[in-house]
Amino acid sequence: MKLKTRDDLNTLKSQHQVLLQNRRSDQPVSVSEAQGKPRQVMVCGGTGCHASNSPQIVEELKAELERRGLAEQINVLQTGCFGFCEKGPILEVHPDNVLYLEVSAKDVAELVEEHFVQGKPLERLLYQDPNTEERIASDLPFYHSQMRIALRNCSLISPEDILEYIAVDGYQALAKVLFAMTPESAIDVIKQSGLRGRGGGGFPTGVKWELTRNNDSNNRYIICNADEGDPGAFMDRSILEGDPHSVLEAMLIAGHTIGASHGFIYIRAEYPLAIHRLEIAIKQAKQYGLLGKNILGSDFCFDIEIKYGAGAFVCGEETALIHSIEGTRGEPSVKPPFPAQQGLWGKPTCVNNVETLANIPPIILKGGDWFAGIGTEKSKGTKVFALAGKVNNVGLVEVPMGTTLRQIIFDIGGGIKHHKTFKAAQTGGPSGGCIPTKFLDTPIDYESLIAIGSMMGSGGLIVMDESDCMVNIAKFYLEFTVDESCGRCTACRVGTKRLHEILTKITEGKGTLDDLDQLEKLGKTIKDSSLCGLGQSAPNPILSTIEYFRDEYLAHIVDKTCPAGVCKSLLRYDITDKCKGCTLCAQNCPAGCITGSPKEPHSIDQERCLKCGACLEKCRFDAIIHH
């Protein structure tokens, strides 16, 4: 069915709002009260839960409900990411608002019996508070400090059904822009909101739209940058998997506002589920007349095309991305001219990140002042972070700008795994810096992170503990940037390799104090002279770890030791007098370098030791130490 007017859209919305009546109710009913009433079961369908067989859970659940004669009153749907990835697969029952964690297909029969037949929650699959050991069915601590705007529909609707998106005000912002606003007034609302680019640059979105519109041309383009490449980052992927129509709607709004008739979504080919759901969303939008000619009966015509990236990190930079779409080598260009002036095929082009676009529809509907009232003075709204590393609650979180690192890591993230000590947090992926304990109370916003030697980036947040070597961490990120450099400018192509060589030398115990000085000088030179953001930010992990963890560099260089026991060349394994002569270490040593008679202390031939740690792992008496 094609929607030919705004009234058609409103009618369709009214008809399908019933789909959402009992989801996420502010006043959930108890499991027993919900007995016999229509229910909806939302199963996480994000990539993480897919990998843990959530589609099989859906099939088993449908089959079990059918077998028990409950299929007519209980609807089972796959949604987007719930965010609490550490505890996936996740399943939520409405209107009870009961959240089940770490569900497997083998739990389905018991879950149906307990919850839907007996009318009581299946306790063992509920969240257990680590402090009180209380089982919690809803309102989990993980979500307490969060505010979902970009992720508003993920886990709430089926991403493969346009009617569900329409039922939650989908495409209403587009209708408002087409029939109740001018392009100039739409730009003013976005400028008023203070929305800044969520891809890492932080450039004001409304200003970018205005610059693109004001450049004279017979054609302009809008590009959605979905080339998410930071290690550990999965914000954009989750939005596209869970709410693809929000991005399509935002591109339509941006296209109408800047005067474009064609848009591109540039997405890495390694995101098959996101691509699949985008393809479905585009097909559905065309079927309903929300893409194509004369949208909603207006004179606005717009189409969207998907372009696949081949995994080059540098193509996340907007000019390299544009070259890739054009079919040439993905290398950055010297700016100016900026894409807003001369971009795709020489035409004015607006490039926005996925998360940036996901914020557009609610801003248009609720107003710029609403969004500007969230966050800090210069960083408005919320930010989505992929929280990963040595933290208890790995997952996707969305918090107001200005939330501190401590709140994210300890309140939402549940603290450090295995009760270890927090050491550092890496924000901004390979382009960001490592933030030490003394800055845990730093508010997360663009300016505050830059002031302490890091950056917002696209939203990766990796937590490190006492067992991490900061010199090795810097080396890890530099290996990534060396591999991903396009090679166009000498500063990045050659400079990052020299930095990596020096770091390798230090981790092997061959470094000198002159090397430490050289790292700092070369790092600053590369920042100042590289062509694009990849090279300009590549030294950040090195410079920040030298500034905040200089003692670890000195330990590697002067003492020839790795305090964290990570750098293999500097490790030494010794057997203490706790040894009982059980021979387990000798039996499991691949180098055969451990000798000694049964029931007598053993010893290690340091010349032959591979430093693999097999002996330490097998020892039952804590007799082996590494230092």
Side-chain angles (χ1 to χ4, degrees), residues 159 161-162 165 171 243-250 280-282 284-285:
D161 187 348
I162 191 173
Y165 181 69
Y171 293 103
D243 193 16
H245 283 284
S246 68
V247 176
L248 301 188
E249 182 179 10
I280 291 173
I282 290 172
Q284 290 176 341

Side-chain angles (χ1 to χ4, degrees), residues 120-134:
K120 55 185 180 180
L122 179 54
E123 292 280 330
R124 68 179 181 85
L125 293 180
L126 299 178
Y127 174 78
Q128 185 172 31
D129 187 290
N131 299 315
T132 64
E133 297 189 357
E134 177 191 3

Side-chain angles (χ1 to χ4, degrees), residues 106-352:
K106 66 183 180 182
D107 297 317
V108 167
E110 184 184 0
L111 191 150
V112 170
E113 172 65 27
E114 290 286 312
H115 192 111
F116 298 109
V117 177
Q118 299 297 329
K120 55 185 180 180
L122 179 54
E123 292 280 330
R124 68 179 181 85
L125 293 180
L126 299 178
Y127 174 78
Q128 185 172 31
D129 187 290
N131 299 315
T132 64
E133 297 189 357
E134 177 191 3
R135 293 286 181 175
I136 303 173
S138 60
D139 194 27
L140 274 54
F142 178 78
Y143 298 104
H144 283 178
S145 301
Q146 295 195 48
M147 182 178 186
R148 286 190 155 205
I149 298 176
L151 299 176
R152 63 194 176 279
N153 294 325
C154 293
S155 79
L156 182 64
I157 64 172
S158 168
E160 298 183 13
D161 187 348
I162 191 173
L163 297 178
E164 296 221 339
Y165 181 69
I166 288 172
V168 291
D169 289 331
Y171 293 103
Q172 290 292 327
L174 171 64
K176 183 177 179 179
V177 167
L178 289 178
F179 300 108
M181 303 177 77
T182 64
E184 290 78 13
S185 63
I187 287 174
D188 286 342
V189 169
I190 302 303
K191 288 170 70 175
Q192 186 182 30
S193 74
L195 176 64
R196 296 170 64 175
R198 298 302 195 243
F203 190 81
T205 304
V207 174
K208 183 181 280 191
W209 286 17
E210 186 174 53
L211 290 171
T212 311
R213 178 175 176 79
N214 289 344
N215 276 283
D216 245 354
S217 177
N218 59 353
N219 205 355
R220 299 177 185 86
Y221 295 100
I222 177 78
I223 296 176
C224 169
N225 183 351
D227 190 59
E228 186 173 53
D230 286 0
F234 52 98
M235 302 77 59
D236 294 347
R237 186 195 75 201
S238 295
I239 291 171
L240 292 172
E241 290 175 355
D243 193 16
H245 283 284
S246 68
V247 176
L248 301 188
E249 182 179 10
M251 291 180 70
L252 282 156
I253 292 169
H256 180 263
T257 303
I258 69 171
S261 61
H262 203 91
F264 294 89
I265 299 175
Y266 186 86
I267 183 170
R268 50 184 46 233
E270 299 96 325
Y271 282 179
L273 184 58
I275 291 169
H276 173 68
R277 288 182 176 161
L278 270 175
E279 289 172 340
I280 291 173
I282 290 172
K283 181 179 179 181
Q284 290 176 341
K286 288 180 178 179
Q287 287 173 344
Y288 281 83
L290 293 164
L291 273 178
K293 302 290 185 184
N294 304 112
I295 294 167
L296 292 178
S298 70
D299 60 359
F300 177 51
C301 305
F302 192 82
D303 211 345
I304 292 174
E305 188 177 343
I306 298 175
K307 290 286 187 179
Y308 305 126
F313 180 68
V314 74
C315 285
E317 195 278 336
E318 57 185 3
T319 60
L321 181 155
I322 287 169
H323 292 152
S324 180
I325 291 178
E326 292 172 337
T328 61
R329 184 178 173 87
E331 291 180 334
S333 297
V334 176
K335 294 182 281 189
F338 294 93
Q341 302 165 304
Q342 189 176 321
L344 190 62
W345 293 300
K347 303 297 183 181
T349 302
C350 181
V351 183
N352 288 134

Side-chain angles (χ1 to χ4, degrees), residues 289-524:
L290 293 164
L291 273 178
K293 302 290 185 184
N294 304 112
I295 294 167
L296 292 178
S298 70
D299 60 359
F300 177 51
C301 305
F302 192 82
D303 211 345
I304 292 174
E305 188 177 343
I306 298 175
K307 290 286 187 179
Y308 305 126
F313 180 68
V314 74
C315 285
E317 195 278 336
E318 57 185 3
T319 60
L321 181 155
I322 287 169
H323 292 152
S324 180
I325 291 178
E326 292 172 337
T328 61
R329 184 178 173 87
E331 291 180 334
S333 297
V334 176
K335 294 182 281 189
F338 294 93
Q341 302 165 304
Q342 189 176 321
L344 190 62
W345 293 300
K347 303 297 183 181
T349 302
C350 181
V351 183
N352 288 134
N353 157 269
V354 171
E355 186 186 340
T356 308
L357 291 169
N359 283 291
I360 297 297
I363 289 174
I364 293 294
L365 289 178
K366 297 183 180 182
D369 285 341
W370 163 76
F371 194 81
I374 304 164
T376 65
E377 182 183 354
K378 294 182 179 180
S379 299
K380 305 297 185 182
T382 59
K383 181 72 189 80
V384 181
F385 290 96
L387 183 61
K390 309 291 182 63
V391 65
N392 281 312
N393 299 336
V394 170
L396 202 65
V397 305
E398 184 173 2
V399 294
M401 291 281 197
T403 302
T404 65
L405 280 169
R406 187 185 301 277
Q407 288 174 292
I408 294 178
I409 295 168
F410 290 92
D411 295 346
I412 298 173
I416 310 304
K417 279 184 180 293
H418 310 304
H419 305 289
K420 290 191 174 182
T421 304
F422 170 83
K423 189 171 193 177
Q426 168 87 354
T427 63
S431 304
C434 293
I435 303 168
T437 306
K438 69 178 181 178
F439 293 125
L440 268 175
D441 294 308
T442 299
I444 293 182
D445 58 49
Y446 292 98
E447 284 71 30
S448 297
L449 290 177
I450 289 172
I452 59 174
S454 191
M455 62 186 294
M456 182 77 71
S458 60
L461 203 170
I462 298 177
V463 179
M464 289 160 270
D465 67 17
E466 62 198 61
S467 64
D468 287 299
C469 168
M470 302 314 294
V471 183
N472 192 62
I473 288 290
K475 179 184 166 189
F476 165 78
Y477 281 113
L478 202 65
E479 284 173 354
F480 180 85
T481 50
V482 167
D483 286 343
E484 295 295 342
S485 172
C486 73
R488 183 174 180 187
C489 67
T490 305
C492 181
R493 182 182 70 249
V494 179
T496 54
K497 287 183 179 178
R498 296 293 84 81
L499 288 175
H500 185 261
E501 287 170 2
I502 296 170
L503 281 173
T504 300
K505 186 178 172 186
I506 291 173
T507 57
E508 290 177 350
K510 302 171 185 176
T512 66
L513 292 176
D514 285 341
D515 289 326
L516 192 55
D517 292 336
Q518 187 67 19
L519 280 177
E520 292 184 281
K521 290 176 183 176
L522 184 55
K524 291 173 183 176

